[in-house]
Amino acid sequence: MRSLADDLAGDVVRRYRIEHDQAVDMVVESFGRSRALVTAVAAADSVEQVKRLRVYRDAATTAKKEIYHHLRRYRPAESSASDAVDRLVALPVSSDERAAAVRAVVANHVSTAERLGELDGFFSQLFDHIGRPDTIVDVGCGVLPLVFPLDDPPVGQLWAVDTDPEAIRAVSAYARGDERVHPVRWDLTEDWPALHARGLPNRVDVALVLKVLPVVARRAPQALDVLARTPADLVVFSGSRTAMAKRQDIERRETGVLRRFLAEHGFTEVGEFRTADEVCLVARPVG
Ligand SMILES: C[S@@+](CC[C@H](N)C(=O)[O-])C[C@H]1O[C@@H](n2cnc3c(N)ncnc32)[C@H](O)[C@@H]1O
């Protein structure tokens, strides 16, 4: 079974962003769930013989689909991501283990994990473009607020809003005792008044919409209108440069989605920067 999985894993690794050993483990697990394949493997003389069977082709298709869907999740291993948040929740703010717990949460969320290699470069380019904002709203924040620098330059308020309860649980645990950070579970479809009712100022200096707009355009296009009315003087929109699951350059596609949105909603693009995994457009809303 392992050599059969090893063979398919070679294919998977060429197409998807996954290491060979992890791919083999996942294929073995998936194959193991097909009783028909397990029986066929036991009866066969060689890997090549099994590969000619219909039952193998079906099991291979299922395994590839499962890997693809696994890679497309923001939090790759739901249980280990939740465990990491549990640990952060349980630790006192003063604990020596807090930094490691924060790192574990951040490493378990794909969007922030992708940035970890060049986090300083990302933030230094970001602040070059946004200056010294006092109030920021991070729309669809994920767990980025856990690594967001608030001291230099000093940020007065960071509103961290997301529809994902786990993200907000993580930010809330991180922000205990820090009055600058305001985590709120909120969905774009609730619209801005619901957030103003929770205390978001009528207008903020900067809104961050990082790796969010292309997701919303695909999954809930009706909510794009809400993003178009983001109550901020400056908005930073970003998209990914490489696909979450497939080994594929998606910068042109993502930039296309962002620029079409800016044009349709009257934003003026005033800046652009990129890191290895992300392309960011800085824009001023109409008026
Ligand atoms: C790709 S992640 C990016 C996370 C974070 N902005 C970052 O760059 O690290 C997309 C985030 O958008 C959030 N999101 C998606 N649809 C949303 C919606 N309708 N309202 C609020 N948040 C949403 C998801 O829960 C997820 O945390």
Side-chain angles (χ1 to χ4, degrees), residues 87-100:
R87 266 198 304 285
L88 183 62
V89 169
L91 284 175
V93 174
S94 56
S95 168
D96 293 343
E97 293 163 40
R98 198 168 135 91

Side-chain angles (χ1 to χ4, degrees), residues 74 111-112 115 140-142 162-164 186-188 210-212:
Y74 302 131
S111 306
T112 32
R115 287 194 193 99
C141 58
D162 199 297
T163 192
D164 177 2
W186 170 82
D187 192 285
L188 275 168
L210 304 177
K211 299 186 188 171
V212 170

